[in-house]
Amino acid sequence: MSELKNLILHREGFVATIQLNRPQALNALNLELMNELISTFESLDKDDSVRCIVLTGNEKAFAAGADIKEMANASAVEMLERDQFSKWDKIRKVKKPIIAAVSGFALGGGCELMMHCDIVIASETAKIGQPEINIGVMPGAGGTQRLTRAVGKVLAMELVLTGRFLSAEEALKAGLINRVVPVEFYLEEAQKLAAEIANRPPVAVRLAKEAILKSFDTTIEMGLEYERKNFYMLFATEDMKEGMAAFVEKRKPEWKGK
Ligand code: DAK
């Protein structure tokens, strides 16, 4: 991986942690950072020694959105040509689970990035929202779609049309995040959960994640069929034999990822 200017990468066991690192701009997502982030995700996804990825910022900000200064003078055609956010689809395609560890601001593109993650652990200081309306635009990287699916129409409307931020507690109640912990522990908690998932059979984790994500873009009928096929496919893995044998023999399974 080439040198990272806007990210810090840390690895422990099977867990890789990516930290967004533009603190002077509250981790605003400029093009350079996003390119680094996408290529880091892609290379971790190919790396067999990584089973779960944590994405975090710092205590003050997960990310305060796309970099407004970088966009302020762009024309529509320039924005189209930069095609900055269609690259985000590559994050959606990461096969390994991604846990967001969120403290402080997760706004606009930052909230959208958080919603690309599979699980969200937040600190009690988290402030989450889609304030693009206040700068004359609207969400453009999934905010109208993913937020609405997560919290329902009426709350999504309120948040997108007013730009109001949700507190961590409100976000928890709305089903946008998994849990809220004191600020000293949010990263540790996310890494603990990542290690727990990394300790599960990787192929089953991958196919289960895939099947859950499938539910967002298919009918229930097709989704159930997809789920069933993934389930059957797991009977071709060594880990399935090992998992069931270990249960019967009353011992701990040893996963091979095969
Ligand atoms: N971009 C650039 N710089 C930012 C920034 C941002 N989003 N957010 C904060 N900063 C910078 C500030 O300019 C300031 O820099 P200096 O002035 O010190 O150089 C520094 O970070 C600290 O910020 P503040 O001084 O403002 O800190 P406060 O604690 O007073 O306020 C705040 C924190 C988060 C409430 C405030 O910074 C703020 O309102 N930030 C902007 C939040 C926002 O509007 N976010 C949405 C951005 S628009 C697309 C799809 C999606 C998108 C774009 C394109 N396509 C399909 C192509 C997404 C758009 C967005 O996310």
Side-chain angles (χ1 to χ4, degrees):
M1 213 179 297
S2 54
E3 200 194 325
L4 299 169
K5 293 200 195 131
N6 302 279
L7 306 177
I8 297 172
L9 187 58
H10 167 83
R11 298 166 69 139
E12 190 168 340
F14 287 118
V15 177
T17 301
I18 307 172
Q19 182 182 9
L20 306 174
N21 189 36
R22 282 191 80 209
Q24 71 284 7
L26 301 182
N27 289 334
L29 306 167
N30 64 6
L31 277 169
E32 189 180 63
L33 182 154
M34 283 311 297
N35 288 337
E36 287 182 7
L37 183 61
I38 286 160
S39 63
T40 302
F41 268 128
E42 287 187 318
S43 78
L44 294 176
D45 207 26
K46 287 189 207 127
D47 182 340
D48 284 343
S49 69
V50 174
R51 291 191 183 167
C52 194
I53 302 167
V54 173
L55 177 64
T56 194
N58 56 51
E59 246 179 65
K60 181 141 197 237
F62 177 71
D67 192 314
I68 300 170
K69 293 168 191 165
E70 197 176 62
M71 286 187 297
N73 297 314
S75 68
V77 174
E78 278 161 354
M79 287 301 280
L80 190 73
E81 281 171 352
R82 279 182 200 173
D83 205 18
Q84 184 176 355
F85 286 80
S86 73
K87 293 190 200 133
W88 287 40
D89 280 349
K90 295 186 177 165
I91 304 176
R92 188 168 60 86
K93 292 190 176 131
V94 171
K95 297 175 191 79
K96 290 170 188 166
I98 307 172
I99 302 182
V102 174
S103 181
F105 299 110
L107 304 176
C111 178
E112 290 166 322
L113 179 59
M114 179 195 92
M115 291 189 291
H116 275 71
C117 299
D118 302 306
I119 291 177
V120 183
I121 305 297
S123 94
E124 58 206 353
T125 66
K127 291 176 237 6
I128 300 171
Q130 300 282 168
E132 292 90 336
I133 204 81
N134 295 324
I135 54 168
V137 285
M138 59 175 275
T144 63
Q145 304 303 301
R146 290 199 177 90
L147 185 68
T148 307
R149 280 169 164 81
V151 306
K153 180 184 113 178
V154 293
L155 184 55
M157 279 291 180
E158 180 192 335
L159 297 177
V160 170
L161 302 189
T162 67
R164 178 170 87 79
F165 304 162
L166 288 177
S167 67
E169 277 308 323
E170 280 180 292
L172 181 66
K173 260 196 221 143
L176 189 58
I177 61 178
N178 294 69
R179 57 183 94 131
V180 180
V181 296
V183 65
E184 312 86 271
F185 302 122
Y186 74 99
L187 180 57
E188 190 185 322
E189 182 80 4
Q191 287 170 327
K192 240 181 4 198
L193 183 57
E196 207 179 298
I197 293 171
N199 202 18
R200 299 289 182 275
V203 184
V205 167
R206 171 181 166 173
L207 295 188
K209 166 173 169 165
E210 235 176 65
I212 291 171
L213 291 182
K214 200 70 179 171
S215 73
F216 289 101
D217 42 48
T218 192
T219 60
I220 183 87
E221 190 103 42
M222 305 266 290
L224 289 169
E225 203 170 304
Y226 191 85
E227 176 192 74
R228 222 158 23 233
K229 286 197 174 135
N230 280 7
F231 177 80
Y232 295 146
M233 204 186 306
L234 288 170
F235 280 70
T237 63
E238 291 180 30
D239 282 346
M240 169 266 163
K241 307 272 181 266
E242 167 66 5
M244 295 197 184
F247 175 81
V248 174
E249 293 158 20
K250 299 189 188 297
R251 62 174 173 82
K252 256 184 95 173
E254 281 190 26
W255 308 122
K256 291 192 181 141
K258 288 183 186 164

Short mmCIF file of all heavy atoms in Angstrom, two decimals, residues 23 33 62 71 76 107 132 149 160 167 194 209 223:
data_model
loop_
_atom_site.label_atom_id
_atom_site.label_comp_id
_atom_site.label_asym_id
_atom_site.label_seq_id
_atom_site.Cartn_x
_atom_site.Cartn_y
_atom_site.Cartn_z
N PRO A 23 -7.64 15.98 11.18
CA PRO A 23 -8.30 16.60 12.33
C PRO A 23 -8.49 18.11 12.17
O PRO A 23 -9.46 18.67 12.67
CB PRO A 23 -7.37 16.28 13.50
CG PRO A 23 -6.06 15.90 12.90
CD PRO A 23 -6.38 15.34 11.55
N LEU A 33 -8.39 12.05 0.48
CA LEU A 33 -8.73 11.13 1.58
C LEU A 33 -9.61 9.99 1.07
O LEU A 33 -9.39 8.82 1.38
CB LEU A 33 -9.43 11.90 2.70
CG LEU A 33 -9.82 11.10 3.95
CD1 LEU A 33 -9.89 12.02 5.17
CD2 LEU A 33 -11.13 10.34 3.83
N PHE A 62 -16.08 12.10 13.63
CA PHE A 62 -15.93 10.95 12.73
C PHE A 62 -15.61 11.56 11.36
O PHE A 62 -14.51 11.38 10.85
CB PHE A 62 -17.22 10.15 12.72
CG PHE A 62 -17.21 8.98 11.77
CD1 PHE A 62 -16.44 7.86 12.03
CD2 PHE A 62 -17.99 9.00 10.61
CE1 PHE A 62 -16.43 6.78 11.14
CE2 PHE A 62 -17.99 7.92 9.73
CZ PHE A 62 -17.21 6.81 10.01
N MET A 71 -15.45 21.74 -2.78
CA MET A 71 -16.61 21.70 -3.70
C MET A 71 -17.13 23.09 -4.07
O MET A 71 -17.86 23.24 -5.04
CB MET A 71 -17.80 20.99 -3.01
CG MET A 71 -17.71 19.51 -2.88
SD MET A 71 -19.26 18.84 -2.23
CE MET A 71 -19.40 19.59 -0.61
N ALA A 76 -21.37 21.97 -12.06
CA ALA A 76 -22.07 20.68 -12.10
C ALA A 76 -21.27 19.67 -12.91
O ALA A 76 -21.11 18.51 -12.53
CB ALA A 76 -23.47 20.85 -12.68
N LEU A 107 -21.51 14.00 9.87
CA LEU A 107 -22.45 14.88 9.17
C LEU A 107 -22.34 14.75 7.66
O LEU A 107 -21.23 14.54 7.12
CB LEU A 107 -22.15 16.35 9.53
CG LEU A 107 -22.17 16.69 11.03
CD1 LEU A 107 -21.76 18.15 11.24
CD2 LEU A 107 -23.54 16.41 11.63
N GLU A 132 -26.74 19.19 4.69
CA GLU A 132 -26.43 19.78 3.37
C GLU A 132 -27.40 20.89 2.98
O GLU A 132 -27.04 21.81 2.26
CB GLU A 132 -26.48 18.69 2.28
CG GLU A 132 -25.38 17.64 2.37
CD GLU A 132 -25.75 16.43 3.21
OE1 GLU A 132 -26.63 16.54 4.09
OE2 GLU A 132 -25.15 15.37 2.98
N ARG A 149 -34.34 4.36 5.00
CA ARG A 149 -34.54 2.94 5.33
C ARG A 149 -34.23 2.67 6.79
O ARG A 149 -34.86 1.84 7.42
CB ARG A 149 -33.66 2.06 4.45
CG ARG A 149 -34.22 1.83 3.05
CD ARG A 149 -33.15 1.18 2.19
NE ARG A 149 -33.65 0.59 0.97
CZ ARG A 149 -33.92 1.27 -0.14
NH1 ARG A 149 -33.78 2.58 -0.17
NH2 ARG A 149 -34.34 0.64 -1.22
N VAL A 160 -33.32 15.77 6.94
CA VAL A 160 -32.77 16.23 5.66
C VAL A 160 -33.29 17.64 5.34
O VAL A 160 -32.56 18.48 4.81
CB VAL A 160 -33.10 15.23 4.54
CG1 VAL A 160 -32.77 15.79 3.16
CG2 VAL A 160 -32.34 13.92 4.77
N SER A 167 -28.77 13.48 18.48
CA SER A 167 -27.83 13.10 19.54
C SER A 167 -27.62 11.58 19.43
O SER A 167 -28.39 10.88 18.75
CB SER A 167 -28.42 13.44 20.91
OG SER A 167 -29.54 12.60 21.14
N ALA A 194 -15.34 -6.16 16.86
CA ALA A 194 -14.69 -6.61 15.62
C ALA A 194 -13.92 -7.91 15.88
O ALA A 194 -13.96 -8.85 15.08
CB ALA A 194 -13.77 -5.53 15.09
N LYS A 209 -23.34 -11.55 5.78
CA LYS A 209 -23.35 -10.09 5.50
C LYS A 209 -23.99 -9.83 4.14
O LYS A 209 -24.85 -8.96 4.00
CB LYS A 209 -21.92 -9.53 5.56
CG LYS A 209 -21.81 -8.13 4.94
CD LYS A 209 -20.47 -7.43 5.11
CE LYS A 209 -20.44 -6.19 4.20
NZ LYS A 209 -19.39 -5.23 4.48
N GLY A 223 -34.92 -12.50 -1.91
CA GLY A 223 -34.00 -12.42 -0.77
C GLY A 223 -33.94 -13.75 -0.03
O GLY A 223 -32.87 -14.22 0.36
#
